[in-house]
Amino acid sequence: MQSGTPFPHTLTDQFGRQVDYIRLSITDRCDFRCTYCMSENMEFLPRDKVLSLEECLRIVKAFVKLGVSKVRITGGEPLVRKNALWLFEEIGKLSGLKELVTTTNGSQLVQQAQTLKAAGVKRINISLDSLNPTKFKEITRVGDLDKVLRGISAAQKAKFDNIKLNTVLMRGINDDETLSLVEFAIAQNIDISFIEEMPLGEVDHHRESSFVSNIETLAKIQTKFELISSEINTGGPARYWQVKNTNTKIGFISPHSHNFCEACNRVRISCKGELYLCLGQEDKIDLMPLLRAHPDDDSALITAILSSMQIKPKGHDFDLKRAAPAVVRFMSHTGG
Ligand code: SAM
Ligand code: SF4
Protein backbone atom coordinates (compact mmCIF):
# COMPACT_ATOMS: atom_id res chain seq x y z
CA MET A 1 0.00 0.00 0.00
CA GLN A 2 1.34 3.45 -0.92
CA SER A 3 1.58 6.26 1.62
CA GLY A 4 -1.51 8.38 1.39
CA THR A 5 -3.81 5.48 0.46
CA PRO A 6 -6.76 5.61 2.86
CA PHE A 7 -6.87 2.69 5.28
CA PRO A 8 -9.94 0.84 6.35
CA HIS A 9 -10.69 1.91 9.90
CA THR A 10 -11.17 -1.56 11.22
CA LEU A 11 -9.20 -4.76 11.24
CA THR A 12 -11.44 -7.72 10.48
CA ASP A 13 -10.15 -11.26 10.24
CA GLN A 14 -11.18 -14.07 7.89
CA PHE A 15 -13.83 -15.24 10.41
CA GLY A 16 -15.40 -11.78 10.67
CA ARG A 17 -13.95 -11.04 14.11
CA GLN A 18 -12.99 -7.42 14.58
CA VAL A 19 -9.60 -6.80 16.16
CA ASP A 20 -9.64 -3.64 18.25
CA TYR A 21 -7.29 -4.59 21.08
CA ILE A 22 -3.52 -5.12 21.11
CA ARG A 23 -1.26 -6.41 23.83
CA LEU A 24 2.31 -5.27 23.50
CA SER A 25 5.14 -6.88 25.43
CA ILE A 26 7.81 -4.23 25.91
CA THR A 27 10.38 -6.50 27.53
CA ASP A 28 11.04 -10.19 28.12
CA ARG A 29 12.87 -9.32 31.33
CA CYS A 30 11.38 -9.49 34.78
CA ASP A 31 12.40 -9.02 38.37
CA PHE A 32 10.43 -12.20 39.30
CA ARG A 33 10.76 -15.76 38.00
CA CYS A 34 7.27 -17.20 38.52
CA THR A 35 7.45 -20.97 38.29
CA TYR A 36 4.56 -21.29 35.81
CA CYS A 37 5.89 -18.51 33.59
CA MET A 38 9.67 -18.89 33.45
CA SER A 39 12.30 -21.54 33.93
CA GLU A 40 14.80 -20.95 36.72
CA ASN A 41 17.61 -19.99 34.39
CA MET A 42 15.89 -17.86 31.82
CA GLU A 43 18.05 -16.41 29.11
CA PHE A 44 16.94 -12.96 28.09
CA LEU A 45 17.26 -11.40 24.67
CA PRO A 46 20.13 -9.09 23.78
CA ARG A 47 19.03 -5.43 23.68
CA ASP A 48 19.21 -5.08 19.86
CA LYS A 49 16.76 -7.99 19.41
CA VAL A 50 14.14 -6.15 21.46
CA LEU A 51 11.97 -3.37 20.03
CA SER A 52 13.12 0.10 21.02
CA LEU A 53 10.50 2.20 22.77
CA GLU A 54 10.27 4.34 19.62
CA GLU A 55 9.56 1.20 17.57
CA CYS A 56 6.92 0.18 20.12
CA LEU A 57 5.27 3.56 19.64
CA ARG A 58 5.33 3.27 15.84
CA ILE A 59 3.57 -0.09 16.07
CA VAL A 60 0.94 1.21 18.46
CA LYS A 61 0.31 4.26 16.27
CA ALA A 62 -0.14 2.05 13.20
CA PHE A 63 -2.68 -0.14 14.99
CA VAL A 64 -4.57 2.87 16.33
CA LYS A 65 -4.74 4.22 12.78
CA LEU A 66 -6.35 0.91 11.84
CA GLY A 67 -9.08 1.25 14.44
CA VAL A 68 -7.50 -0.33 17.53
CA SER A 69 -8.95 1.42 20.57
CA LYS A 70 -7.42 -0.50 23.46
CA VAL A 71 -3.74 -1.12 24.19
CA ARG A 72 -2.34 -3.21 27.01
CA ILE A 73 1.33 -2.80 27.86
CA THR A 74 2.76 -5.97 29.32
CA GLY A 75 5.90 -8.09 29.42
CA GLY A 76 7.91 -9.62 31.12
CA GLU A 77 7.56 -6.96 33.72
CA PRO A 78 6.79 -3.77 31.77
CA LEU A 79 7.66 -1.46 34.65
CA VAL A 80 11.27 -2.66 34.86
CA ARG A 81 11.95 -1.44 31.32
CA LYS A 82 14.02 1.73 31.46
CA ASN A 83 12.01 4.79 30.37
CA ALA A 84 8.80 2.76 30.02
CA LEU A 85 6.98 5.80 31.35
CA TRP A 86 7.87 7.74 28.19
CA LEU A 87 6.05 5.13 26.12
CA PHE A 88 3.00 5.20 28.40
CA GLU A 89 2.89 8.98 28.11
CA GLU A 90 3.19 8.97 24.32
CA ILE A 91 0.51 6.30 23.92
CA GLY A 92 -1.68 8.12 26.42
CA LYS A 93 -1.68 11.15 24.10
CA LEU A 94 -2.95 9.28 21.01
CA SER A 95 -6.33 10.43 19.90
CA GLY A 96 -8.46 7.50 18.82
CA LEU A 97 -7.29 5.38 21.70
CA LYS A 98 -9.99 4.75 24.30
CA GLU A 99 -8.11 2.67 26.80
CA LEU A 100 -4.50 2.35 27.85
CA VAL A 101 -4.09 -0.43 30.39
CA THR A 102 -1.24 -2.47 31.81
CA THR A 103 -0.47 -5.74 33.53
CA THR A 104 2.23 -5.75 36.19
CA ASN A 105 3.57 -7.87 39.01
CA GLY A 106 3.19 -4.81 41.25
CA SER A 107 6.80 -4.66 42.40
CA GLN A 108 7.38 -1.15 41.01
CA LEU A 109 4.02 0.41 41.79
CA VAL A 110 5.04 2.19 44.97
CA GLN A 111 7.24 4.44 42.81
CA GLN A 112 5.25 4.36 39.57
CA ALA A 113 1.49 4.14 40.27
CA GLN A 114 0.88 7.91 40.31
CA THR A 115 2.92 8.63 37.20
CA LEU A 116 1.23 5.81 35.27
CA LYS A 117 -2.16 7.21 36.18
CA ALA A 118 -1.05 10.69 35.11
CA ALA A 119 0.19 9.23 31.80
CA GLY A 120 -3.33 8.05 31.03
CA VAL A 121 -3.35 4.44 32.24
CA LYS A 122 -6.98 3.75 33.03
CA ARG A 123 -7.01 0.26 34.45
CA ILE A 124 -4.32 -1.89 35.94
CA ASN A 125 -4.01 -5.65 36.46
CA ILE A 126 -1.72 -6.77 39.25
CA SER A 127 -0.64 -10.39 39.54
CA LEU A 128 -0.96 -11.90 43.00
CA ASP A 129 -0.75 -15.65 43.51
CA SER A 130 -0.37 -15.87 47.27
CA LEU A 131 -0.86 -13.86 50.46
CA ASN A 132 1.65 -15.98 52.32
CA PRO A 133 5.15 -14.42 52.12
CA THR A 134 6.96 -17.77 52.06
CA LYS A 135 4.73 -19.22 49.40
CA PHE A 136 4.83 -15.98 47.43
CA LYS A 137 8.61 -16.29 47.37
CA GLU A 138 8.37 -19.95 46.35
CA ILE A 139 6.09 -19.16 43.41
CA THR A 140 7.90 -16.06 42.21
CA ARG A 141 11.29 -17.50 43.26
CA VAL A 142 12.54 -14.03 44.22
CA GLY A 143 9.52 -11.76 44.81
CA ASP A 144 8.76 -9.86 48.00
CA LEU A 145 5.07 -10.02 48.94
CA ASP A 146 5.22 -6.94 51.14
CA LYS A 147 6.51 -4.82 48.27
CA VAL A 148 3.66 -6.00 46.04
CA LEU A 149 1.04 -5.35 48.74
CA ARG A 150 2.42 -1.84 49.15
CA GLY A 151 2.24 -1.52 45.36
CA ILE A 152 -1.44 -2.49 45.43
CA SER A 153 -2.07 0.22 48.06
CA ALA A 154 -0.21 2.74 45.92
CA ALA A 155 -2.40 1.82 42.95
CA GLN A 156 -5.50 2.33 45.09
CA LYS A 157 -4.27 5.76 46.15
CA ALA A 158 -3.61 6.67 42.51
CA LYS A 159 -7.31 6.03 41.80
CA PHE A 160 -7.23 3.98 38.62
CA ASP A 161 -10.69 3.38 37.15
CA ASN A 162 -10.26 -0.26 37.97
CA ILE A 163 -7.75 -2.52 39.70
CA LYS A 164 -7.89 -6.25 39.13
CA LEU A 165 -5.77 -8.97 40.65
CA ASN A 166 -4.68 -11.84 38.39
CA THR A 167 -4.18 -15.20 40.04
CA VAL A 168 -2.90 -18.47 38.61
CA LEU A 169 -3.85 -21.33 40.93
CA MET A 170 -1.70 -24.43 41.08
CA ARG A 171 -2.78 -27.63 42.78
CA GLY A 172 -1.00 -28.35 46.04
CA ILE A 173 0.81 -25.01 45.83
CA ASN A 174 -1.63 -22.14 46.24
CA ASP A 175 -5.08 -23.59 45.53
CA ASP A 176 -5.72 -23.60 49.31
CA GLU A 177 -5.67 -19.78 49.12
CA THR A 178 -8.58 -19.42 46.69
CA LEU A 179 -11.00 -18.13 49.31
CA SER A 180 -8.50 -15.93 51.13
CA LEU A 181 -7.53 -14.26 47.85
CA VAL A 182 -11.20 -13.56 47.14
CA GLU A 183 -11.62 -12.20 50.70
CA PHE A 184 -8.60 -9.98 50.17
CA ALA A 185 -10.04 -8.60 46.92
CA ILE A 186 -13.38 -7.90 48.64
CA ALA A 187 -11.66 -6.17 51.57
CA GLN A 188 -9.70 -3.99 49.13
CA ASN A 189 -12.77 -3.23 46.96
CA ILE A 190 -11.02 -4.54 43.87
CA ASP A 191 -11.64 -7.31 41.34
CA ILE A 192 -9.87 -10.62 40.91
CA SER A 193 -9.49 -12.98 37.95
CA PHE A 194 -8.43 -16.59 38.08
CA ILE A 195 -6.38 -17.63 35.06
CA GLU A 196 -6.01 -21.28 34.19
CA GLU A 197 -2.39 -22.20 33.72
CA MET A 198 -1.49 -22.39 30.04
CA PRO A 199 1.19 -24.58 28.48
CA LEU A 200 3.42 -21.76 27.24
CA GLY A 201 7.14 -22.44 27.29
CA GLU A 202 9.09 -25.22 29.00
CA VAL A 203 8.99 -24.74 32.79
CA ASP A 204 10.41 -26.75 35.69
CA HIS A 205 7.12 -28.20 36.98
CA HIS A 206 4.59 -30.61 35.56
CA ARG A 207 1.72 -28.49 34.32
CA GLU A 208 -0.79 -31.31 34.06
CA SER A 209 -0.56 -32.23 37.75
CA SER A 210 -0.62 -28.61 38.95
CA PHE A 211 -3.56 -27.65 36.74
CA VAL A 212 -6.67 -26.37 38.51
CA SER A 213 -9.78 -25.96 36.40
CA ASN A 214 -11.81 -22.78 36.80
CA ILE A 215 -14.92 -24.96 37.02
CA GLU A 216 -13.51 -26.27 40.28
CA THR A 217 -12.44 -22.80 41.45
CA LEU A 218 -15.89 -21.34 40.78
CA ALA A 219 -17.55 -24.16 42.72
CA LYS A 220 -15.17 -23.64 45.65
CA ILE A 221 -15.87 -19.90 45.77
CA GLN A 222 -19.62 -20.53 45.62
CA THR A 223 -19.41 -22.59 48.83
CA LYS A 224 -18.65 -19.36 50.66
CA PHE A 225 -19.89 -16.45 48.52
CA GLU A 226 -23.07 -15.77 46.65
CA LEU A 227 -22.12 -14.96 43.08
CA ILE A 228 -24.34 -13.24 40.58
CA SER A 229 -23.56 -13.92 36.95
CA SER A 230 -22.49 -10.64 35.39
CA GLU A 231 -23.25 -9.45 31.91
CA ILE A 232 -20.05 -7.41 31.90
CA ASN A 233 -18.04 -8.01 28.79
CA THR A 234 -14.63 -6.40 28.59
CA GLY A 235 -14.20 -7.81 25.09
CA GLY A 236 -11.88 -10.38 26.59
CA PRO A 237 -11.97 -14.05 27.45
CA ALA A 238 -12.98 -13.55 31.10
CA ARG A 239 -16.44 -14.46 32.36
CA TYR A 240 -17.40 -12.28 35.32
CA TRP A 241 -19.44 -12.82 38.48
CA GLN A 242 -20.37 -10.17 41.00
CA VAL A 243 -19.91 -11.10 44.65
CA LYS A 244 -23.28 -10.25 46.20
CA ASN A 245 -23.31 -7.14 48.42
CA THR A 246 -19.74 -6.20 47.48
CA ASN A 247 -17.99 -4.12 44.82
CA THR A 248 -15.88 -7.09 43.76
CA LYS A 249 -16.19 -8.93 40.49
CA ILE A 250 -14.57 -12.29 39.97
CA GLY A 251 -13.35 -13.17 36.49
CA PHE A 252 -12.48 -16.58 35.15
CA ILE A 253 -10.07 -16.85 32.25
CA SER A 254 -10.48 -20.42 31.21
CA PRO A 255 -8.69 -21.40 28.01
CA HIS A 256 -9.08 -25.09 28.92
CA SER A 257 -12.50 -25.40 30.50
CA HIS A 258 -14.06 -22.74 28.31
CA ASN A 259 -12.73 -22.04 24.87
CA PHE A 260 -12.99 -18.29 24.37
CA CYS A 261 -11.73 -18.01 20.82
CA GLU A 262 -14.99 -17.35 19.00
CA ALA A 263 -15.14 -13.80 20.36
CA CYS A 264 -11.40 -13.08 20.15
CA ASN A 265 -10.79 -9.39 19.47
CA ARG A 266 -7.05 -9.15 20.07
CA VAL A 267 -3.58 -9.73 18.73
CA ARG A 268 -0.25 -9.68 20.56
CA ILE A 269 3.06 -8.14 19.72
CA SER A 270 6.11 -9.70 21.33
CA CYS A 271 9.04 -7.68 22.58
CA LYS A 272 10.88 -8.85 19.43
CA GLY A 273 8.25 -7.25 17.23
CA GLU A 274 6.52 -10.50 16.27
CA LEU A 275 2.84 -9.98 15.63
CA TYR A 276 1.17 -13.10 17.03
CA LEU A 277 -2.36 -13.62 15.86
CA CYS A 278 -3.20 -16.09 18.65
CA LEU A 279 -1.65 -16.72 22.07
CA GLY A 280 -1.84 -20.47 21.55
CA GLN A 281 -0.63 -20.76 17.95
CA GLU A 282 2.56 -19.98 16.10
CA ASP A 283 1.06 -17.88 13.28
CA LYS A 284 2.95 -14.61 13.19
CA ILE A 285 4.43 -11.82 11.13
CA ASP A 286 7.80 -10.27 11.98
CA LEU A 287 7.38 -6.53 12.16
CA MET A 288 10.89 -5.64 13.30
CA PRO A 289 12.58 -6.07 9.87
CA LEU A 290 9.87 -3.86 8.32
CA LEU A 291 10.34 -1.19 10.95
CA ARG A 292 14.10 -1.20 10.57
CA ALA A 293 14.09 -1.32 6.74
CA HIS A 294 11.67 1.64 6.55
CA PRO A 295 12.49 3.92 9.46
CA ASP A 296 10.54 6.86 8.03
CA ASP A 297 7.66 5.20 6.24
CA ASP A 298 4.95 3.08 7.86
CA SER A 299 3.24 1.86 4.70
CA ALA A 300 4.97 -1.57 4.74
CA LEU A 301 4.07 -1.90 8.41
CA ILE A 302 0.43 -1.04 7.76
CA THR A 303 0.25 -3.45 4.82
CA ALA A 304 1.70 -6.25 6.95
CA ILE A 305 -0.80 -5.63 9.73
CA LEU A 306 -3.70 -5.60 7.28
CA SER A 307 -2.59 -8.84 5.64
CA SER A 308 -2.05 -10.53 9.01
CA MET A 309 -5.83 -10.64 9.42
CA GLN A 310 -5.92 -13.38 6.80
CA ILE A 311 -3.81 -15.71 8.95
CA LYS A 312 -5.44 -15.18 12.34
CA PRO A 313 -6.33 -18.74 13.33
CA LYS A 314 -9.77 -19.82 14.39
CA GLY A 315 -8.61 -20.76 17.88
CA HIS A 316 -5.96 -22.16 20.17
CA ASP A 317 -5.21 -25.79 20.76
CA PHE A 318 -4.05 -26.13 24.37
CA ASP A 319 -3.63 -29.67 25.65
CA LEU A 320 -1.84 -30.18 28.96
CA LYS A 321 -1.45 -33.91 28.30
CA ARG A 322 0.98 -33.32 25.48
CA ALA A 323 4.60 -33.97 26.44
CA ALA A 324 5.82 -30.78 24.79
CA PRO A 325 4.40 -27.33 25.53
CA ALA A 326 1.67 -26.28 23.10
CA VAL A 327 3.70 -23.23 22.27
CA VAL A 328 7.43 -23.08 22.89
CA ARG A 329 7.54 -19.37 23.62
CA PHE A 330 6.99 -18.11 27.15
CA MET A 331 4.13 -15.84 28.17
CA SER A 332 6.76 -13.29 29.23
CA HIS A 333 7.97 -13.14 25.63
CA THR A 334 4.59 -12.85 23.93
CA GLY A 335 2.95 -10.78 26.62
CA GLY A 336 0.16 -12.06 28.84
N1 SAM B 1 4.87 -9.44 34.75
C1 SAM B 1 3.53 -9.03 34.65
C2 SAM B 1 2.63 -9.83 35.56
O1 SAM B 1 3.06 -10.85 36.08
O2 SAM B 1 1.49 -9.41 35.74
C3 SAM B 1 2.98 -9.02 33.24
C4 SAM B 1 3.35 -10.17 32.35
S1 SAM B 1 2.72 -11.74 32.87
C5 SAM B 1 3.32 -12.76 31.57
C6 SAM B 1 1.00 -11.53 32.55
C7 SAM B 1 0.08 -12.53 33.20
O3 SAM B 1 0.33 -13.79 32.62
C8 SAM B 1 0.28 -12.69 34.69
O4 SAM B 1 -0.95 -12.49 35.34
C9 SAM B 1 0.73 -14.12 34.85
O5 SAM B 1 0.23 -14.68 36.04
C10 SAM B 1 0.17 -14.77 33.62
N2 SAM B 1 0.90 -15.97 33.17
C11 SAM B 1 2.21 -16.13 32.91
N3 SAM B 1 2.49 -17.37 32.48
C12 SAM B 1 1.30 -18.03 32.45
C13 SAM B 1 0.90 -19.35 32.08
N4 SAM B 1 1.76 -20.24 31.65
N5 SAM B 1 -0.41 -19.65 32.18
C14 SAM B 1 -1.33 -18.74 32.61
N6 SAM B 1 -1.02 -17.50 32.97
C15 SAM B 1 0.28 -17.14 32.90
FE1 SF4 C 1 7.51 -12.04 35.62
FE2 SF4 C 1 4.92 -11.75 35.27
FE3 SF4 C 1 6.17 -13.94 34.34
FE4 SF4 C 1 5.90 -13.63 36.94
S1 SF4 C 1 4.23 -13.87 35.45
S2 SF4 C 1 7.79 -14.20 35.88
S3 SF4 C 1 6.04 -11.47 37.19
S4 SF4 C 1 6.47 -11.90 33.65
Side-chain angles (χ1 to χ4, degrees):
M1 184 177 297
Q2 298 301 304
S3 305
T5 309
F7 310 123
H9 280 287
T10 54
L11 288 171
T12 307
D13 78 357
Q14 54 179 326
F15 304 102
R17 296 171 297 191
Q18 197 183 320
V19 172
D20 57 9
Y21 176 16
I22 58 170
R23 292 183 166 218
L24 172 65
S25 170
I26 62 169
T27 180
D28 61 332
R29 288 166 199 257
C30 186
D31 50 345
F32 291 0
R33 298 283 184 281
C34 301
T35 50
Y36 53 79
C37 177
M38 294 192 177
S39 68
E40 185 144 27
N41 302 307
M42 281 295 278
E43 278 185 32
F44 296 108
L45 294 163
R47 191 47 47 89
D48 65 324
K49 294 276 186 299
V50 174
L51 292 172
S52 69
L53 293 177
E54 289 75 13
E55 288 167 337
C56 289
L57 183 60
R58 274 181 74 191
I59 291 177
V60 173
K61 280 183 170 168
F63 272 100
V64 171
K65 227 179 233 174
L66 293 169
V68 161
S69 58
K70 177 171 170 185
V71 175
R72 178 174 302 279
I73 302 296
T74 180
E77 175 46 43
L79 304 185
V80 299
R81 172 104 193 230
K82 209 169 154 213
N83 293 332
L85 186 63
W86 173 84
L87 180 66
F88 280 100
E89 286 171 343
E90 291 301 313
I91 297 175
K93 289 180 205 159
L94 297 178
S95 61
L97 188 70
K98 292 200 190 104
E99 262 203 308
L100 172 58
V101 296
T102 190
T103 303
T104 171
N105 64 23
S107 69
Q108 310 299 311
L109 284 175
V110 168
Q111 305 89 308
Q112 298 193 29
Q114 292 283 357
T115 40
L116 286 171
K117 176 71 174 44
V121 173
K122 293 262 194 304
R123 299 190 290 118
I124 190 159
N125 289 355
I126 307 172
S127 298
L128 182 69
D129 298 321
S130 176
L131 289 164
N132 171 323
T134 311
K135 210 182 284 175
F136 186 86
K137 180 135 296 166
E138 258 167 51
I139 296 172
T140 59
R141 292 199 181 97
V142 286
D144 174 3
L145 174 64
D146 184 56
K147 204 169 166 191
V148 172
L149 294 179
R150 283 186 287 117
I152 294 171
S153 300
Q156 288 170 302
K157 285 201 193 88
K159 300 205 180 314
F160 290 98
D161 292 359
N162 184 267
I163 301 174
K164 179 164 73 75
L165 303 176
N166 274 348
T167 301
V168 176
L169 292 176
M170 288 167 286
R171 191 170 306 286
I173 299 173
N174 63 345
D175 58 334
D176 57 334
E177 290 194 62
T178 313
L179 297 178
S180 34
L181 284 158
V182 171
E183 276 156 14
F184 176 78
I186 293 171
Q188 301 299 316
N189 261 321
I190 58 182
D191 296 335
I192 181 165
S193 278
F194 291 94
I195 309 175
E196 285 180 346
E197 185 176 353
M198 293 174 243
L200 301 170
E202 196 83 61
V203 291
D204 308 327
H205 72 272
H206 196 250
R207 293 196 197 265
E208 197 190 338
S209 48
S210 63
F211 179 72
V212 179
S213 155
N214 269 341
I215 296 172
E216 179 183 331
T217 303
L218 172 63
K220 192 188 268 184
I221 296 171
Q222 282 173 318
T223 61
K224 172 127 195 221
F225 299 99
E226 192 169 336
L227 302 185
I228 303 155
S229 176
S230 165
E231 292 305 307
I232 289 170
N233 181 358
T234 57
R239 303 286 140 122
Y240 286 96
W241 298 73
Q242 184 79 40
V243 185
K244 196 173 176 190
N245 300 327
T246 77
N247 292 323
T248 295
K249 288 184 294 304
I250 304 183
F252 294 93
I253 301 174
S254 318
H256 299 276
S257 53
H258 182 100
N259 188 310
F260 47 64
C261 305
E262 73 278 359
C264 182
N265 65 341
R266 65 204 51 202
V267 295
R268 291 174 162 83
I269 300 114
S270 78
C271 57
K272 280 165 76 181
E274 298 146 318
L275 168 57
Y276 281 106
L277 286 311
C278 171
L279 180 62
Q281 302 278 6
E282 300 290 359
D283 307 76
K284 65 164 179 174
I285 291 186
D286 275 321
L287 301 179
M288 191 186 271
L290 299 175
L291 290 166
R292 297 198 174 166
H294 308 279
D296 302 312
D297 179 4
D298 285 341
S299 37
L301 174 65
I302 298 263
T303 304
I305 295 171
L306 285 170
S307 60
S308 74
M309 289 298 107
Q310 296 316 309
I311 60 163
K312 184 168 166 59
K314 194 164 185 196
H316 67 68
D317 176 26
F318 290 141
D319 179 1
L320 292 164
K321 292 198 172 60
R322 258 201 301 247
V327 164
V328 285
R329 61 185 194 271
F330 290 94
M331 183 82 120
S332 56
H333 175 128
T334 322

